[in-house]
Amino acid sequence: MTVSDRPLRVIQWATGAVGTEMVTTILDHRPDIQLVGARVYSQAKDGVDLGTLVGRAPIGVPATTDAERILNTDADLVLYAPSFTDLDDVCALLESGKNVATVSFLFHPRRIPEADRRRLAAACQQGNSTIHASGLNPGNLSGVLPLALSGMSRTIDKLTLQERADWSLWESTDITFDGMWFGRPVEDVTPTANDFLSFNTRLFTEQTWFIADTLNAAIDDVSVTLEAVPATKDLQILGHELKAGTTAGQRWNFVGSRRGAPLIEFETLWTVGGEYPSHWPAPEDGWTLTIEGDPSMRTHFLCLASYSRAASVEEHVRAGLIAVAMQVVNAIPAICSAPPGFATMADLPLIRSYTGFGDDLASS
């Protein structure tokens, strides 16, 4: 879709933790974007002004649980950020002529099931629309950052990204407990044990293929392993009781190999309650990206509220949510200017901060 000098009209789909950061950023910092709709899932939010929902002054945009109403709203782009995704909804949005930016899935459409890919492509063609997905991991740290660093590489032998994180303060406990099955018997937790774990498996498998396809790895397959480890004591996690002996840690490995040699590995070391097994590798908290090659390089990423002032744990958690949200909010103009179809992290131009240091935005 083409854009003009008018503000871009954007709909927010889901107003959870990440969606709230998207909305407040637009209201506080983005005069080039106009919020024109909001899709919510809770009856308590239905009809409530979007500004009110995120702790700002009313903006005259009532949230709605009615997806059809959203489809009939004129907009340039939908920020799609639900915890649980629906391909039917995304295709309907694209068919209606709205671009879609998501932090939830579809990071590498080339490697999703062919029927789904055809549906999405047809929806983009019908609506003359574009879809883009990014975030942190999967997203920037397993997509954009490796590609950026590869610009300093002559050759690459192996790429590894390790993520170490404790989920204890993640407010979306429906994901932690109902989705990821923390607190369930360790023998129950497998890569395909429920719909959400299967979904998570597909996301990281696709992201592994994304790096392989973009950097000419020509891998043969992606293997997936998961080790669930038990809690050593009873834990209380945001009002949920996690019994000793049930799952308190998950180590996932997604490995892309060529002729038996591992070339790309994404490893996640996820725990709750500070339960960290002694036999696991022990990288620093955050994300550690290592590229072995000519030359070899390593970078560590940790997103915090501040490195220079005292901040609460809650502020540090929120900082991560902001980082997820900004990767797609800052990409909105580029997505709206992109050709119809799939615009991956390898296709869009460099996405940078719109606000930056905030000086004299009007003349920029």
Side-chain angles (χ1 to χ4, degrees), residues 195-330:
D195 288 344
F196 191 85
L197 289 165
S198 297
F199 176 71
N200 184 72
T201 298
R202 290 194 299 273
L203 288 188
F204 279 92
T205 299
E206 289 166 19
Q207 191 74 346
T208 308
W209 277 109
F210 172 77
I211 289 297
D213 291 339
T214 309
L215 292 179
N216 306 314
I219 60 174
D220 302 311
D221 60 20
V222 176
S223 64
V224 182
T225 58
L226 167 59
E227 178 194 7
V229 294
T232 60
K233 58 183 180 296
D234 292 347
L235 299 168
Q236 288 290 330
I237 310 293
L238 294 175
H240 290 255
E241 185 176 26
L242 190 150
K243 291 287 190 181
T246 63
T247 300
Q250 297 182 21
R251 179 185 180 183
W252 294 73
N253 289 88
F254 302 85
V255 181
S257 300
R258 183 178 65 204
R259 295 187 292 275
L263 302 186
I264 301 163
E265 180 174 5
F266 294 143
E267 179 176 54
T268 64
L269 303 155
W270 292 331
T271 56
V272 293
E275 296 268 341
Y276 199 85
S278 59
H279 67 281
W280 280 10
E284 297 180 67
D285 288 336
W287 295 262
T288 303
L289 175 63
T290 303
I291 296 177
E292 289 289 343
D294 184 14
S296 297
M297 55 189 92
R298 173 175 289 170
T299 184
H300 179 257
F301 178 89
L302 181 62
C303 184
L304 297 176
S306 178
Y307 285 93
S308 61
R309 65 169 177 84
S312 66
V313 173
E314 289 75 18
E315 286 181 284
H316 291 316
V317 171
R318 180 170 168 259
L321 300 173
I322 295 170
V324 173
M326 291 308 95
Q327 185 61 36
V328 293
V329 170
N330 284 323

Side-chain angles (χ1 to χ4, degrees), residues 11-15 37-39 41 67 70-71 78-82 89 93:
I11 293 169
Q12 180 64 51
W13 188 293
T15 56
R39 164 74 158 97
Y41 292 85
I70 293 297
L71 290 174
V78 176
L79 288 167
Y80 185 78
D89 286 336
L93 290 168

Side-chain angles (χ1 to χ4, degrees), residues 10 22 53 60 79 83 126 140 143 146 149 152 199 202 223 226 243 257 262 280 285 291 328 353 360-363:
V10 168
M22 292 174 168
L53 281 178
L79 288 167
S83 298
Q126 179 176 330
N140 186 302
L149 292 184
M152 296 183 287
F199 176 71
R202 290 194 299 273
S223 64
L226 167 59
K243 291 287 190 181
S257 300
W280 280 10
D285 288 336
I291 296 177
V328 293
S353 172
D360 199 16
L361 283 174
S363 64

